[in-house]
Amino acid sequence: MQKLRNTTTLGNNLRTIRKKCRLTQEQVVARLNLLNIEITRSYYSRYETGELNIPVETIVALRYVFQCSYDELFQNIRPDIQ
C-alpha cells in the first residue's frame, strides 16, 4: 500500500477543507466508511494533526468526499529541497 508522507500542512489543509464543507470529523469518517475506507474518527483526527501517514486511496476518497481538487488538498506543500 502506497502512502504519502503526512505533514502538518496537509493536516491543516484537510481540517480547513472539512470545515469549509461544514462537516464534522464523524461525518467525514461515515462517508469514508461508505467508500470502503475503514477508519475511526480518532484515527482520522490523527491525519489532521499530522501524526499519521495517509494512504493514497484515502487521499482519493477524501477528494471525493470534499468535492475538491488535488491542488486544494496539497496547497502550500513544497518539496523539502536542501
Side-chain angles (χ1 to χ4, degrees), residues 1-7 10 14 39 43-44 46-56 58-59:
M1 176 184 322
Q2 283 185 307
K3 292 186 179 181
L4 295 176
R5 186 172 180 271
N6 197 4
T7 65
L10 179 55
L14 289 175
I39 186 172
Y43 204 83
Y44 174 81
R46 294 171 70 192
Y47 290 159
E48 288 191 2
T49 61
E51 292 178 54
L52 293 176
N53 289 330
I54 305 173
V56 172
T58 303
I59 291 286

Side-chain angles (χ1 to χ4, degrees), residues 23-55:
L23 295 171
T24 65
Q25 289 182 344
E26 291 85 1
Q27 290 169 319
V28 171
V29 167
R31 292 176 186 198
L32 288 172
N33 281 288
L34 289 173
L35 296 171
N36 294 319
I37 304 291
E38 295 186 26
I39 186 172
T40 63
R41 194 222 41 92
S42 63
Y43 204 83
Y44 174 81
S45 73
R46 294 171 70 192
Y47 290 159
E48 288 191 2
T49 61
E51 292 178 54
L52 293 176
N53 289 330
I54 305 173

Side-chain angles (χ1 to χ4, degrees), residues 6-17:
N6 197 4
T7 65
T8 302
T9 302
L10 179 55
N12 288 340
N13 289 349
L14 289 175
R15 184 178 309 106
T16 299
I17 295 167

